[in-house]
Amino acid sequence: MPDEDDEKTRVTGLEEMQVPTTGEDCLVVIYTAVQTELGRRYVLNDSVMTIGRGASNHIVVSSDAVSRQHAQLERRGADFVVSDLNSTNGTFINNERKRPSSSRLNRGDQLRVGDTVFKFLSGSDIEGQYHAVIGHMAVTDGLTNLFNRKHLDSQLAEEIQRAHRHSRELSVLMLDIDNFKTINDAHGHLAGDRVIAGLAHLLRQRLRSDDKLGRYGGEEFCAILPETGLERAATIAETLRTMVATHPFPIETQRLTVTVSIGAAALRPHMQSSDIYRAADEMLYRAKSEGRNKVCC
């Protein structure tokens, strides 16, 4: 008997990262710690497929956050259902943890296994969906589904140009999770990821449709507030701070209390992106140094 790690696995090769030409249902990697895996496509061509760290799985995820046999995908007629195989860190669909009982995958759902997130593509227009997913990945952060830093920079530059041209107000908020290292140390990095994703969802619910929210880096977020002066920005920031501090973040069997510090800055004549980022970041640093869970502007 060959060792399990020597067995051939049925996973999609690197060539399958190209644009698909068939209508086969598939999973596409949209978030992972291994950057070379981003965009990898796994065709779901068997009636039952398993996902896990072990080499005998149909989809192998090489991460110590993934159990050897983590989850199972089963085709039932035209549908796919997901079952967790009593994994250590759980299986999530759209950030909701699934127990061993089966849960149906819908087109566009996000399937999270350990620290890897897949997007489920199904239907006749797989090529169009794949293009859309890859395009979306270019401008968004896979964990939070917010703008990534590169696209955030682009959005801020456009808003500054518009504000200067039309003499309009513009403010920026920089938000940082307080004592985030303590969360990671006490509950693990996966719990930290769930807090970041949960916070992103919470912020997105409160901010206006014209506001632009992005993940600035790590546990830090940035909100661009068009048509907003400093006084109004401070009021919004205080609302966000209070909302986060009173929101229970579910982690396994616990509910964590999380706080954020926020720095606010408003656009002034001749300011560019680096200037307003710096001003907001200085206020964030001040909020941290004055005890955290605070807004400074």
Side-chain angles (χ1 to χ4, degrees):
M1 286 286 290
D3 184 79
E4 181 187 10
D5 290 336
D6 293 330
E7 293 180 17
K8 186 177 180 180
T9 59
R10 289 169 286 174
V11 297
T12 304
L14 288 174
E15 69 278 2
E16 290 295 339
M17 292 177 69
Q18 306 302 316
V19 176
T21 58
T22 67
E24 295 173 300
D25 299 324
C26 60
L27 294 177
V28 178
V29 179
I30 63 169
Y31 179 79
T32 174
V34 183
Q35 293 300 303
T36 55
E37 292 293 301
L38 279 173
R40 181 181 285 271
R41 187 174 64 101
Y42 293 89
V43 176
L44 306 180
N45 51 11
D46 287 344
S47 58
V48 178
M49 301 179 70
T50 56
I51 304 173
R53 192 175 76 248
S56 62
N57 291 282
H58 300 78
I59 299 175
V60 178
V61 182
S62 300
S63 168
D64 58 6
V66 176
S67 297
R68 294 197 66 82
Q69 281 205 318
H70 197 108
Q72 177 178 284
L73 286 164
E74 181 182 354
R75 184 187 291 275
R76 295 182 184 173
D79 297 329
F80 277 94
V81 295
V82 178
S83 303
D84 182 76
L85 300 177
N86 293 311
S87 64
T88 301
N89 291 312
T91 301
F92 296 77
I93 297 178
N94 300 328
N95 285 326
E96 181 182 344
R97 184 164 187 167
K98 299 301 177 182
R99 302 302 172 183
S101 57
S102 300
S103 299
R104 182 172 178 267
L105 266 183
N106 295 306
R107 173 176 166 176
D109 279 350
Q110 291 187 10
L111 173 64
R112 179 173 180 146
V113 174
D115 52 5
T116 299
V117 181
F118 301 91
K119 195 173 189 72
F120 175 56
L121 304 186
S122 178
S124 58
D125 186 22
I126 293 290
E127 181 174 339
Q129 294 177 54
Y130 185 79
H131 274 299
V133 169
I134 297 303
H136 188 69
M137 286 169 56
V139 299
T140 57
D141 169 66
L143 177 62
T144 62
N145 210 31
L146 302 179
F147 289 150
N148 59 26
R149 172 64 189 277
K150 182 178 180 180
H151 194 58
L152 190 68
D153 290 348
S154 173
Q155 291 292 305
L156 179 58
E158 290 180 13
E159 290 296 341
I160 288 176
Q161 187 179 44
R162 185 178 298 112
H164 282 323
R165 184 188 307 123
H166 300 289
S167 299
R168 293 174 179 171
E169 293 182 309
L170 175 71
S171 293
V172 165
L173 304 180
M174 298 291 287
L175 305 89
D176 189 75
I177 301 174
D178 295 326
N179 300 310
F180 186 69
K181 185 178 183 299
T182 302
I183 297 173
N184 278 338
D185 291 346
H187 304 281
H189 289 278
L190 288 180
D193 280 355
R194 289 200 281 277
V195 168
I196 288 173
L199 177 59
H201 179 70
L202 201 60
L203 297 175
R204 197 164 47 231
Q205 285 183 318
R206 172 59 184 82
L207 291 171
R208 304 164 300 185
S209 58
D210 289 341
D211 297 333
K212 295 168 174 66
L213 179 64
R215 188 179 180 190
Y216 191 78
E219 65 274 17
E220 195 169 0
F221 297 81
C222 176
I224 302 169
L225 312 179
E227 311 280 350
T228 306
L230 187 59
E231 186 176 349
R232 176 60 180 155
T235 300
I236 293 171
E238 183 60 32
T239 300
L240 295 176
R241 185 201 65 77
T242 303
M243 180 181 64
V244 173
T246 56
H247 178 81
F249 287 80
I251 302 297
E252 301 301 335
T253 58
Q254 306 178 51
R255 291 183 177 271
L256 298 185
T257 298
V258 175
T259 64
V260 294
S261 296
I262 305 177
L267 186 69
R268 294 182 178 182
H270 310 299
M271 264 188 169
Q272 296 303 320
S273 298
S274 58
D275 303 314
I276 196 167
Y277 272 146
R278 186 183 306 112
D281 200 53
E282 287 174 358
M283 291 299 98
L284 173 61
Y285 179 78
R286 179 176 156 190
K288 291 281 192 182
S289 63
E290 292 183 3
R292 301 183 176 88
N293 191 24
K294 185 174 183 177
V295 174
C296 286
C297 57

